[in-house]
Amino acid sequence: MSKLRIAVLDDYQYAARKYGDWDSLDSQVVVFHEPLGDADAVVSQLAEFDVVVAMRERTAFPVEVLRGLKRLKLLVTTGPLNAAIDVPAANAQGIVLSGTGYPELGSTSELTWALILAAVRNIPAETRSVGEGGWQSSVGWGLEGKTLGLLGLGRLGSRVAKVGQAFGIETIAWSQNLTAEKAAAHGVTAVTKNELFTSSDVLSVHVMLSERSRGLVGAAELALMKPTALLVNTSRGPIVDEDALVDALLERKIGGAALDVFDIEPLPERHILRRLENVIATPHIGYVTEGQYQVFYRDAVEDIAAFMAGEPIRVVDEQTVAQFLIV
């Protein structure tokens, strides 16, 4: 096989060269460190590449983009699947999809708790206050005896529940497929969707993004929440109706939000969620750790080498996606 042209996308932290042995592929590797832009820009900048390595869902590959990439033979996503890739369209076009390992399931649950603790104890504001010469500018609240609600009790939600129980928090959960037996196995009480929103002092989102979960938390659900409640989202932005959330925050219908994910990423510079005082926002770093990146880029190189040898590995197809979407 002649030398492939390989594009490595959205390497915001300049990590790809550090963690992947790209020289072993004996190919032309181009690393992009900034977002490529809209669909037309993605097509124009990637038109001459045979292989594309996508970092999670930072760049979308809907059907119109895939059809525009005539030379694309292999699309690698870091992680086992990618909601921003139209898998049926890629399959229909003969593009091979490969994923990578995802070793640190705890990384996102750790960030979830970092956000919760930062929010309930007002840590960002207090840190700023100390830096500006102030002292004890706010009053936080404790977690013991409060109720943690989990929208989803899968691999990540169950880890978040375990930590909450160590804090002495009552844990409740709901999802469309959750049974009382599954919840009880994690020391969690299964409740109705309405009960989840009305009872939670902290409500944390842990379902995967799909057509059935898009907009799952909307104005009606936010209206059920306590005026002191905290909404936490480290899953995917579109699961929560962003406009409805902004309205609830502006009108103080809920106590606040701690967010790692957004509808548009990177979050536009002038977006209101960057400046609301009852919001803690981080730049989608739930999976951004040394351990994850080591596996992502190592496996991406392995995927490409296997494809070049005519034996693709870690292939992603519609059946793979369906298995992950069972919550």
Side-chain angles (χ1 to χ4, degrees):
M1 181 179 290
S2 60
K3 285 190 176 183
L4 298 176
R5 294 203 70 207
I6 301 168
V8 181
L9 305 187
D10 297 311
D11 180 22
Y12 302 161
Q13 296 98 352
Y14 289 75
R17 296 285 186 186
K18 177 179 179 181
Y19 296 117
D21 184 11
W22 305 99
D23 291 342
S24 67
L25 298 172
D26 190 28
S27 297
Q28 300 174 16
V29 179
V30 179
V31 181
F32 293 84
H33 301 292
E34 301 291 337
L36 298 183
D38 63 15
D40 289 341
V42 172
V43 171
S44 66
Q45 293 181 76
L46 300 182
E48 300 304 315
F49 287 93
D50 306 290
V51 177
V52 170
V53 178
M55 172 52 74
R56 306 298 291 128
E57 289 145 23
R58 293 176 181 175
T59 294
F61 289 89
V63 60
E64 60 269 22
V65 169
L66 293 169
R67 286 176 178 168
L69 299 177
K70 306 298 185 183
R71 285 189 54 165
L72 185 60
K73 303 178 182 70
L74 172 67
L75 178 55
V76 177
T77 177
T78 55
L81 78 165
N82 187 325
I85 297 174
D86 187 327
V87 175
N91 291 162
Q93 197 167 310
I95 299 169
V96 176
L97 300 180
S98 286
T100 72
Y102 198 102
E104 296 184 1
L105 284 175
S107 62
T108 300
S109 58
E110 290 164 6
L111 181 71
T112 299
W113 276 105
L115 289 172
I116 293 171
L117 295 172
V120 301
R121 298 305 295 271
N122 302 311
I123 289 175
E126 293 293 357
T127 299
R128 288 193 300 270
S129 176
V130 171
E132 295 166 358
W135 198 254
Q136 294 188 356
S137 61
S138 64
V139 178
W141 47 281
L143 290 168
E144 187 171 2
K146 296 293 194 299
T147 298
L148 169 66
L150 300 168
L151 183 59
L153 192 65
R155 293 172 298 167
L156 293 177
S158 60
R159 285 173 176 259
V160 173
K162 187 174 182 180
V163 176
Q165 290 153 5
F167 280 119
I169 299 173
E170 179 185 358
T171 50
I172 61 175
W174 174 86
S175 73
Q176 289 151 321
N177 291 324
L178 182 64
T179 65
E181 293 74 20
K182 287 181 181 178
H186 297 288
V188 176
T189 301
V191 296
T192 66
K193 184 181 178 183
N194 278 8
E195 287 173 330
L196 181 77
F197 284 90
T198 58
S199 301
S200 298
D201 295 295
V202 176
L203 196 152
S204 192
V205 178
H206 298 288
V207 292
M208 296 188 69
L209 179 62
S210 67
E211 286 310 308
R212 72 177 185 177
S213 67
R214 188 177 297 272
L216 189 59
V217 181
E221 289 75 21
L222 293 166
L224 295 173
M225 295 178 69
K226 299 177 182 180
T228 56
L230 172 69
L231 177 72
V232 183
N233 190 3
T234 55
S235 183
R236 291 295 183 270
I239 295 168
V240 178
D241 182 325
E242 195 168 273
D243 290 338
L245 176 59
V246 169
D247 287 344
L249 292 165
L250 286 170
E251 297 173 19
R252 302 286 176 169
K253 292 179 180 178
I254 64 174
L259 309 170
D260 187 48
V261 290
F262 308 91
D263 282 3
I264 299 173
E265 298 179 3
L267 191 63
E269 185 176 349
R270 296 182 180 276
H271 199 290
I272 191 170
L273 288 175
R274 286 185 179 266
R275 61 180 189 271
L276 289 179
E277 63 181 25
N278 53 351
V279 171
I280 294 177
T282 51
H284 203 156
I285 55 172
Y287 63 93
V288 180
T289 66
E290 290 267 347
Q292 297 282 38
Y293 274 17
Q294 287 169 355
V295 171
F296 283 172
Y297 287 121
R298 180 201 68 200
D299 286 3
V301 170
E302 288 181 359
D303 287 345
I304 298 168
F307 175 80
M308 294 170 68
E311 298 180 354
I313 58 175
R314 291 185 282 263
V315 173
V316 178
D317 54 24
E318 292 181 71
Q319 184 177 357
T320 307
V321 174
Q323 291 173 345
F324 274 89
L325 291 179
I326 298 173
V327 178

